[in-house]
Amino acid sequence: MARGHLRIYLGAAPGVGKTYAMLEEAHRRQSRGTDVVVAVVETHGRQHTAAMLAGLETVPRTPLTYRGTVLQEMDLDAVLARRPQVAVVDELAHTNVPGSRHTKRWQDIEQLLDAGITVLSTVNIQHLESLNDVVEQITGVAQRETVPDRFVRQAEQVELVDMTPEALRRRMAHGNVYAPDKVSSALGNYFRVGNLTALRELALLWLADKVDEQLDTYRADHGIGATWEARERVVVALTGGPEGETLIRRAARIAARTKGAELMAIHVARSDGLTGADPARLARQRVLMESLGGTYHQVTGDDIPTALLDFARGVNATQLVLGASRRGRFAQILSAGVGVTTTALSGPIDVHLVTHAEIGRRRPAARSSPLSRRRRLAGFTLALLGLPVLTLTLRALRDELSLASDVLVTLAAVVAVALLGGMWPAVTAAVIGFLLLNFFFTEPYHTFDIADRDNLIALLVFLLVAVPVAAVVDLAARRTRQAAAASAEATTLATVAGSVLRGTRPLTALLERLRENFQLNSVTLLERPPGTPGGRQDDPAAWHIAATVGNPPCQAPADGDTTVPVDDDLTLVLHGRSLAAADQRIVEAFAAQAATALRQERLAEQAARARPLEEADKLRTALLAAVSHDLRTPLASAMAAVESLRSPDIHFSDEDQQELLDSAAESHQRLHRLIENLLDMSRLQAGALGVTLTAVGLEDAVPAALDEVSGEAHAVTMAIPDDLPTVNADAGLLQRVLVNLIRNALRYSPPDRPPLITAADADDRIELSVIDHGPGIPDDQRDRVFQPFQRLGDRSNDTGTGLGLALSRGLTEAMGGTLTPHTTPGGGVTMKLTLPATVSPPATADETRAGELTDRAAVERLHRRSPAAKDTP
């Protein structure tokens, strides 16, 4: 069965016309003979949207009861049984009522698609999971209903329903979005011009990324390699040379000229791993690129122009930035160079050859011999002494050997010299061998003349073979040394990366690894304080230690044996021994990584310092939002009741007066509870809550808490053993905790299944459980319920600030206990309160009799409070 197609109408904000556009498409498809049904559409009282439902078949919704309220949800089974060609399903991010087949509506849609049904749906940009926090930061409103981006991105069509902020605000003012009594508040809060503009930009950028994905897929499916200039993408090529930072900044300026342009850096490494790039410079250039908002990439290839262009075409780049050649003019005559070759092959990609201060400054690297000095001297000795001895031996056998044999034996001697001493001893041996063969073995003898043409060819072939063989042997030795060095560097850097990733302090781990690898006494990262002018390297007052390992730490760069400047303000100082020039490059890579690690540690410290401020700001914001509602509501109710009673123009009956007085009293009680909770929470957070621990019996604490709970407490069932030990707690705080837990259980329990309170002895602790059979708490939300002002999107109950559970856990922990949520078998939440049992000395006979009387009195109170407890063993 073919999977159905998904078409989504995306809007920046409510009211832009997503549902209207979706229903227009449904009518168009129906007019073409397509079987279309409306599975669910939310009109929100908008008459123009409701009018669009006329003429479309609608599948009746299914009623579901939730907390005593009957709610209407999409009947998924009925739609599947009807099997239309197209189903209209509004509000993609909607959360279904508990008891539905799926938690989210997008999961219902996925099942419809699997059944081969095409679906039309809608979603606002604020409901996308990846943008949820961004929208909250812009609007100040948290969106609890979200849909995964991957589901929206897999839609075959995503159509943006766009509207300018001004037009949307006019539509709202005309009453076409919200009821008239809500328009003023909406325009002044969520629907401000700035908010709508930002949301509109988010929607456009998100959709642009979706279009990019579709374009890349299309190009890949159709094998299109040519560049399509749909968006500016600037690629800068880095060699690891000193001109890299100039090229990056130039490319960044080019990219900044176009809104939404992408910036990328590419470095081509040789496939044999023997790259000559400076890893320290590349590390610094990578940090610079990322700080400018670009990305860094590295590819492997021996043909640099081809590798650059393959990458540029792969990312659909429009511009390529290269540095002008650093080689001299003579070298450019011999070879066109990377820049010229890349420009010639670039096709539609614009290539910028950027001039820089390093042009013409490149010097050929000194070619040090891959062999030791001793082996080179041995090679020269063998060439100067061994070949004459070999010649004398061959001369003695001249009557038995031909010239060809003499040439081959001498060639073997040259190869032996090459293996021993390298290229230049071998070249010397080849020249000496050529001259000796000519002087002693070709006619006329003992002259450098050659009479026979065949002898001349043999000697020239000997020379032409001997010199390349010497060069090949020298190159093989050089490559072997380079490969060994590259392998050692890779092993060292991999070890460094592992120690940095595994360590909690990456900078310290990095410096310690550097000290161990090079057997140093100490490694110190020195930093010049801000505002300090560059001065002497031996002045400790001009530097301070950013990080150090080993002893003694260096106070200034001059104190070390090796110094590696990282930038204008950072210098890595090594103490213990001077390093070889071959080790300098890898130490520079360490230095660049150390600077990066220092910045990361400081950013982490700043984030850690900012986190409490962020939490405090969130708390203040939530407090203001909660208190502005929960404080105002009972206060307004109480004031209205009192003002009504004081009014001389209205005469109330005794029954009405009592009702108004009860309303005022209830409102005052709510205010009292709110203020108490807020004060207790502030004391908890300030660490100023006074706790007096005494022996408290649960047979006294539970009935007292039930007495404080409102009139529904008679429905609570209790099962508390008679012989339960006392707990070590503060009686007043324990009662507050129990009241909050019982109220919470009553709020979420269905009428036919009241809460249950049980208690049990668990060794040296007492566990008291408050059990309800409500909707329960998802596993990923269990920590959130203990955060202040969190109610997990409960819309059915607008009372309370969401402080109850947060305060209860704080009070419990202040008494040395724990409060944890568990899933009730069959559904619901069990709040388990655990407190330490009281350890008391053995009781006397009189105390035992008194205790028995007290226990009997407590049991009687429990039975009076909960008749159901009489049947509990």
Side-chain angles (χ1 to χ4, degrees):
M1 180 186 298
R3 180 178 168 88
H5 298 290
L6 176 61
R7 179 168 183 169
I8 296 176
Y9 291 84
L10 175 68
V16 295
K18 304 179 302 300
T19 304
Y20 192 92
M22 176 182 65
L23 293 174
E24 280 187 326
E25 175 65 18
H27 278 285
R28 279 193 294 271
R29 297 197 181 201
Q30 187 183 57
S31 65
R32 295 195 298 265
T34 304
D35 182 16
V36 180
V37 301
V38 175
V40 60
V41 165
E42 304 291 349
T43 63
H44 299 291
R46 299 165 190 168
Q47 56 182 356
H48 299 294
T49 304
M52 291 295 295
L53 291 171
L56 294 174
E57 179 186 347
T58 301
V59 176
R61 302 190 194 184
T62 181
L64 293 174
T65 303
Y66 178 63
R67 296 180 187 172
T69 303
V70 178
L71 302 174
Q72 302 290 328
E73 280 290 1
M74 180 180 74
D75 194 337
L76 178 60
D77 293 329
V79 178
L80 291 171
R82 171 64 174 75
R83 294 193 61 80
Q85 291 177 284
V86 177
V88 178
V89 184
D90 201 8
E91 295 191 356
L92 181 63
H94 172 76
T95 300
N96 292 331
V97 173
S100 303
R101 178 180 300 186
H102 298 120
T103 304
K104 293 286 189 176
R105 184 167 288 169
W106 64 265
Q107 296 170 320
D108 295 336
I109 293 176
E110 195 160 34
Q111 187 167 351
L112 292 175
L113 296 173
D114 290 338
I117 300 173
T118 294
V119 176
L120 308 179
S121 190
T122 64
V123 71
N124 282 328
I125 194 68
Q126 66 264 27
H127 294 298
L128 296 180
E129 184 66 46
S130 64
L131 300 176
N132 185 256
D133 56 338
V134 179
V135 173
E136 181 178 359
Q137 183 180 3
I138 293 171
T139 63
V141 178
Q143 300 292 336
R144 295 183 175 88
E145 292 186 328
T146 59
V147 60
D149 289 49
R150 62 169 178 80
F151 184 79
V152 182
R153 289 189 184 279
Q154 76 180 13
E156 283 76 13
Q157 298 181 65
V158 178
E159 180 177 330
L160 179 65
V161 182
D162 193 24
M163 179 175 286
T164 64
E166 293 77 12
L168 179 56
R169 286 170 60 85
R170 284 196 301 271
R171 176 180 286 185
M172 293 188 62
H174 294 155
N176 294 329
V177 179
Y178 289 145
D181 59 332
K182 296 181 180 180
V183 170
S184 178
S185 175
L187 291 175
N189 292 283
Y190 190 90
F191 289 86
R192 295 194 298 268
V193 173
N195 289 356
L196 296 176
T197 302
L199 293 174
R200 188 186 186 201
E201 183 177 14
L202 279 178
L204 290 170
L205 291 175
W206 189 93
L207 191 61
D209 288 340
K210 164 73 174 173
V211 173
D212 275 345
E213 289 180 2
Q214 291 178 326
L215 179 60
D216 291 342
T217 302
Y218 180 84
R219 284 163 50 86
D221 292 343
H222 291 78
I224 299 174
T227 299
W228 288 3
E229 298 186 20
R231 180 194 291 192
E232 289 289 346
R233 290 180 175 86
V234 182
V235 175
V236 54
L238 302 178
T239 64
E243 76 282 356
E245 294 184 2
T246 301
L247 301 182
I248 291 173
R249 291 189 172 92
R250 177 63 173 163
R253 289 195 294 272
I254 294 174
R257 295 172 184 168
T258 305
K259 182 73 172 177
E262 293 185 24
L263 178 63
M264 289 170 277
I266 174 67
H267 171 68
V268 180
R270 293 180 55 178
S271 59
D272 56 12
L274 306 178
T275 177
D278 187 339
R281 281 203 182 100
L282 279 177
R284 290 194 293 269
Q285 290 165 10
R286 177 173 188 165
V287 171
L288 176 62
M289 169 60 66
E290 292 173 350
S291 69
L292 293 173
T295 56
Y296 177 88
H297 307 268
Q298 183 164 316
V299 298
T300 302
D302 293 323
D303 187 346
I304 294 179
T306 301
L308 286 177
L309 291 172
D310 286 345
F311 175 83
R313 294 188 181 107
V315 299
N316 203 26
T318 56
Q319 302 189 58
L320 187 60
V321 178
L322 305 174
S325 176
R326 289 185 284 126
R327 301 179 305 150
R329 293 183 179 179
F330 181 73
Q332 294 184 44
I333 293 174
L334 296 178
S335 174
V338 173
V340 175
T341 305
T342 304
T343 304
L345 301 175
S346 63
I349 302 177
D350 296 335
V351 179
H352 302 265
L353 284 177
V354 179
T355 59
H356 49 84
E358 302 298 324
I359 294 178
R361 294 187 180 181
R362 184 175 182 179
R363 299 290 183 267
R367 290 178 58 87
S368 60
S369 174
L371 302 177
S372 66
R373 183 179 180 183
R374 177 178 298 179
R375 288 185 59 178
R376 282 181 283 138
L377 289 176
F380 279 115
T381 302
L382 181 61
L384 296 174
L385 300 179
L387 284 178
V389 173
L390 178 63
T391 300
L392 292 175
T393 303
L394 293 175
R395 185 181 179 187
L397 301 173
R398 184 170 62 183
D399 295 336
E400 300 178 11
L401 298 175
S402 64
L403 178 62
S405 299
D406 296 333
V407 169
L408 290 176
V409 171
T410 305
L411 179 61
V414 172
V415 172
V417 172
L419 292 174
L420 177 63
M423 180 175 180
W424 293 113
V427 170
T428 303
V431 173
I432 293 174
F434 175 84
L435 295 175
L436 290 175
L437 287 170
N438 183 12
F439 192 81
F440 289 105
F441 298 102
T442 60
E443 296 178 351
Y445 298 116
H446 308 299
T447 68
F448 289 105
D449 296 332
I450 302 175
D452 192 347
R453 185 180 61 182
D454 291 339
N455 292 340
L456 175 62
I457 293 174
L459 292 180
L460 289 177
V461 169
F462 162 78
L463 189 61
L464 292 176
V465 170
V467 172
V469 166
V472 169
V473 171
D474 180 79
L475 180 62
R478 190 181 302 278
R479 289 298 190 216
T480 300
R481 189 184 68 168
Q482 290 177 343
S487 176
E489 287 185 6
T491 302
T492 301
L493 293 175
T495 304
V496 169
S499 63
V500 169
L501 291 174
R502 289 190 297 270
T504 56
R505 295 178 59 85
L507 178 56
T508 303
L510 189 71
L511 299 184
E512 182 62 33
R513 181 62 61 182
L514 176 60
R515 187 184 70 83
E516 292 176 356
N517 283 351
F518 293 100
Q519 299 178 354
L520 302 168
N521 294 334
S522 67
V523 178
T524 306
L525 184 63
L526 295 176
E527 184 177 26
R528 198 189 307 274
T532 303
R536 294 164 48 190
Q537 298 292 296
D538 58 352
D539 183 10
W543 303 86
H544 79 265
I545 298 176
T548 184
V549 295
N551 287 301
C554 298
Q555 305 295 326
D559 296 343
D561 298 295
T562 303
T563 60
V564 181
V566 181
D567 53 32
D568 295 337
D569 298 324
L570 288 174
T571 298
L572 188 66
V573 184
L574 314 180
H575 177 69
R577 67 182 182 90
S578 297
L579 297 181
D583 296 328
Q584 189 74 15
R585 192 173 75 158
I586 193 168
V587 172
E588 289 181 352
F590 270 93
Q593 295 300 326
T596 302
L598 177 63
R599 282 190 289 269
Q600 289 175 343
E601 283 193 1
R602 290 183 173 170
L603 288 173
E605 291 173 358
Q606 292 175 4
R609 288 195 297 269
R611 194 171 296 114
L613 298 177
E614 181 183 2
E615 293 298 327
D617 183 66
K618 286 183 179 179
L619 189 62
R620 282 194 296 270
T621 302
L623 173 63
L624 291 174
V627 171
S628 63
H629 175 269
D630 295 298
L631 192 61
R632 185 189 301 122
T633 300
L635 185 60
S637 178
M639 289 180 61
V642 173
E643 290 297 329
S644 298
L645 290 172
R646 292 181 56 193
S647 174
D649 301 329
I650 304 176
H651 298 284
F652 295 99
S653 64
D654 293 342
E655 183 179 350
D656 291 338
Q657 288 183 3
Q658 187 60 44
E659 184 177 349
L660 289 172
L661 289 173
D662 291 342
S663 175
E666 182 181 353
S667 299
H668 287 137
Q669 288 177 358
R670 288 178 58 189
L671 283 173
H672 178 71
R673 289 196 300 268
L674 171 61
I675 293 171
E676 276 191 339
N677 285 339
L678 291 173
L679 290 176
D680 286 343
M681 182 59 68
S682 65
R683 293 191 191 102
L684 274 174
Q685 293 177 340
L689 184 69
V691 180
T692 303
L693 299 179
T694 60
V696 180
L698 292 182
E699 68 277 3
D700 294 323
V702 174
L706 290 172
D707 287 338
E708 188 175 335
V709 177
S710 59
E712 295 183 8
H714 66 277
V716 177
T717 305
M718 293 178 295
I720 299 179
D722 299 341
D723 56 349
L724 200 65
T726 59
V727 295
N728 197 33
D730 184 301
L733 298 184
L734 176 58
Q735 184 172 333
R736 296 290 305 282
V737 172
L738 292 174
V739 167
N740 285 332
L741 295 180
I742 294 170
R743 282 202 178 110
N744 199 67
L746 286 169
R747 181 179 300 124
Y748 294 103
S749 293
D752 57 335
R753 303 190 71 183
L756 170 65
I757 301 176
T758 66
D761 187 358
D763 295 331
D764 58 344
R765 304 183 74 81
I766 304 300
E767 293 182 350
L768 185 140
S769 300
V770 180
I771 305 168
D772 71 60
H773 299 279
I777 303 174
D779 292 341
D780 59 344
Q781 300 290 331
R782 288 189 174 180
D783 288 336
R784 280 191 59 197
V785 298
F786 292 104
Q787 296 176 9
F789 311 108
Q790 297 292 331
R791 292 190 304 206
L792 298 186
D794 175 29
R795 297 190 181 92
S796 65
N797 179 26
D798 293 331
T799 64
T801 58
L803 277 175
L805 291 178
L807 181 59
S808 297
R809 171 170 278 188
L811 296 178
T812 302
E813 292 175 351
M815 294 185 292
T818 60
L819 179 61
T820 55
H822 299 271
T823 301
T824 302
V829 177
T830 297
M831 286 293 177
K832 185 169 290 187
L833 172 66
T834 304
L835 290 169
T838 304
V839 179
S840 58
T844 64
D846 292 339
E847 290 172 337
T848 301
R849 285 193 297 271
E852 291 174 353
L853 293 175
T854 303
D855 290 342
R856 284 197 296 271
V859 170
E860 291 176 0
R861 286 198 302 273
L862 284 173
H863 281 254
R864 285 197 300 270
R865 292 294 308 176
S866 178
K870 295 178 182 179
D871 298 328
T872 303

